[in-house]
Amino acid sequence: MSEQADVLIIGAGPAGLSAALAAANDGARVVLVDDNPLPGGQIWRDGAQARVPAQARQLCDAVDNHATIQRHAATRVAARAGSTSLLVENAERGWVIDYHRLILCTGARELLLPFPGWTLPGVTGAGGLQALIKGGLPVADERTVIAGSGPLLLASASTAKQAGAQVLRIAEQASTSAVAAFALQLPRWPHKLLQSFGLFDGGYRPGTRIVAALGQDRLEGVRLQRGGEIEELECERLACGFGLIPNVQLGQALGCALGSAAIKVDAWQATDMAGIYAAGECTGFGGSELALVEGRIAGHAAAGNREAARRMWPARARWQHFADALNKHFALDPALKRLAQPDTLLCRCEDVPYAAVAAHDNWREAKLATRCGMGACQGRICGGATQYLFDWQPAAPRPPFTPTRIDTLTLLEESAQSSSP
């Protein structure tokens, strides 16, 4: 048996939730699929120690209480089952969802760059630390350093401090002038200006980048560089992230064109593939406000209510200006491409050093010769790193897109037989 949807949405972050509500309010039958056990995506991640904003709670409640929205949690897309159907799987079963319109709200993930010591226990991503703390990781009294780039560093530091960690330093790679120029523009978005006051930290240092994580069996300290000065700090935890990269793999697999490493969309949030839309950070990073607006536009457009979608265009333009300023002033310094040493692991799943990968001309060659990207993360970490370091574009994934049970995969044959004349 297959499930039927007028609009199928992949991803229950801000974009997916707002798209579901918009489409359902226009009369569409909506199915919302997300691989996390709780809605909210990464930015509104729920958990034992999470402080989810009231706006997120209200939106999640509205979606779950809507009569024409069916939400499937802890469910992943395994493969394409037909021109307008996807094979999905949860812990209990696999099944096919047929749809008229599809909206991809697959979000983004952290860009993690290799540097000496980055694989030591105690080193995580900046967003990864947030997720761990919200899930219940105890960090009370741990000396913590946050490094990398972007406002996520401040948000991660705030989460860590609320959980009792001692945040010694926030090392932002963007220059002092770039951070100041961005701050001067914040009055254009009063909510963001107010938010910045709450996140400010006396340990914030722009123009500072990670050099190495220090330690033998686990993290013992960090080495930072600011201009010509080197600073070493003893710590138990390092959270390091260099911004976000869009999750485009499903879009690629469905044939959607990319632009600037994100899914390319038009004014209606429509991709170049008929019937497929995309919204939120899989189309480019811009924060939750932009994702919410894009989700509403995509939801209305997918449900056929173009007038309602058009009314959201000015709000999208406003938050797109914020995204443009953010991406401009926190652009990564090319010096970050030289963090790794020849023996620094680039692919941590398969223990492949930087030098072995750098000896090749493209992702495919490196993967075949070194097994880079063939481990547990399937290139989600090292693939993003090589994309930044070498300007390589990983190929579209082949089905199954995630580890999938055999009995679920047999549904592909059944679906093909039922759709054949």
Side-chain angles (χ1 to χ4, degrees), residues 113-114 173 209 242 332-340 388-389:
L113 298 179
Q173 62 87 39
R209 66 175 183 267
F242 297 91
L332 297 184
D333 188 328
L336 296 173
K337 296 188 177 186
R338 300 188 293 274
L339 288 178
Y388 173 72
L389 294 171

Side-chain angles (χ1 to χ4, degrees), residues 62-80:
V63 166
D64 284 342
N65 293 325
H66 203 290
T68 60
I69 299 176
Q70 174 65 56
R71 181 171 65 86
H72 296 293
T75 302
R76 296 186 174 188
V77 177
R80 193 171 198 167

Side-chain angles (χ1 to χ4, degrees), residues 273-285:
M273 297 298 292
I276 302 181
Y277 298 76
E281 292 177 342
C282 63
T283 67
F285 174 62

Side-chain angles (χ1 to χ4, degrees), residues 38 143 209 223 259 272 371:
L38 296 170
R143 294 171 296 179
R209 66 175 183 267
R223 182 176 297 135
D272 64 331
R371 292 191 56 82

Side-chain angles (χ1 to χ4, degrees), residues 61-348:
D61 288 345
V63 166
D64 284 342
N65 293 325
H66 203 290
T68 60
I69 299 176
Q70 174 65 56
R71 181 171 65 86
H72 296 293
T75 302
R76 296 186 174 188
V77 177
R80 193 171 198 167
S83 59
T84 57
S85 58
L86 294 178
L87 175 68
V88 301
E89 181 185 72
N90 62 20
E92 289 78 36
R93 66 187 180 108
W95 72 102
V96 172
I97 303 177
D98 298 321
Y99 60 84
H100 294 292
R101 297 288 185 270
L102 175 66
I103 306 178
L104 302 176
C105 301
T106 48
R109 63 190 185 280
E110 281 191 275
L111 173 60
L112 304 176
L113 298 179
F115 54 86
W118 78 300
T119 59
L120 284 170
V123 181
T124 66
L129 178 60
Q130 270 195 309
L132 288 168
I133 291 173
K134 290 177 180 180
L137 176 73
V139 295
D141 299 323
E142 287 190 345
R143 294 171 296 179
T144 302
V145 173
I146 314 250
S149 189
L152 180 59
L153 304 187
L154 290 170
S156 182
S158 176
T159 301
K161 286 187 292 183
Q162 290 170 10
Q166 301 177 41
V167 177
L168 306 179
R169 184 74 71 243
I170 303 173
E172 166 60 60
Q173 62 87 39
S175 67
T176 301
S177 59
V179 173
F182 177 73
L184 288 173
Q185 295 191 49
L186 283 178
R188 298 169 60 189
W189 306 279
H191 168 68
K192 290 295 185 182
L193 178 63
L194 183 63
Q195 190 180 61
S196 69
F197 292 146
L199 293 177
F200 178 76
D201 188 284
Y204 185 81
R205 298 289 186 276
T208 305
R209 66 175 183 267
I210 187 76
V211 174
L214 309 174
Q216 295 299 319
D217 297 324
R218 66 162 290 112
L219 179 72
E220 298 173 9
V222 298
R223 182 176 297 135
L224 304 172
Q225 181 175 355
R226 189 180 192 193
E229 297 182 0
I230 295 293
E231 177 183 31
E232 290 192 0
L233 298 170
E234 293 183 356
C235 62
E236 288 77 46
R237 194 164 295 279
L238 168 64
C240 200
F242 297 91
L244 300 175
I245 49 178
N247 286 325
V248 301
Q249 289 81 3
L250 182 56
Q252 279 185 292
L254 298 176
C256 300
L258 303 184
S260 300
I263 298 176
K264 188 176 181 180
V265 294
D266 64 12
W268 307 102
Q269 298 297 138
T271 72
D272 64 331
M273 297 298 292
I276 302 181
Y277 298 76
E281 292 177 342
C282 63
T283 67
F285 174 62
S288 60
E289 294 85 359
L290 180 59
L292 286 166
V293 175
E294 289 182 346
R296 285 196 287 272
I297 293 172
H300 286 309
N305 188 353
R306 287 203 161 197
E307 183 54 39
R310 190 189 298 273
R311 288 196 295 268
M312 303 304 302
W313 287 2
R316 180 179 58 191
R318 178 169 178 261
W319 287 112
Q320 186 60 61
H321 289 318
F322 173 77
D324 293 342
L326 192 68
N327 295 327
K328 173 184 176 181
H329 295 297
F330 290 94
L332 297 184
D333 188 328
L336 296 173
K337 296 188 177 186
R338 300 188 293 274
L339 288 178
Q341 299 299 310
D343 61 347
T344 301
L345 291 184
L346 196 161
C347 176
R348 54 196 304 166

Side-chain angles (χ1 to χ4, degrees), residues 352 356-372 374 392-393 395:
V352 183
V357 178
H360 299 279
D361 294 327
N362 56 62
W363 172 253
R364 184 175 183 276
E365 287 183 9
K367 188 174 181 180
L368 289 173
T370 69
R371 292 191 56 82
C372 178
M374 298 179 72
W392 293 350
Q393 178 59 55

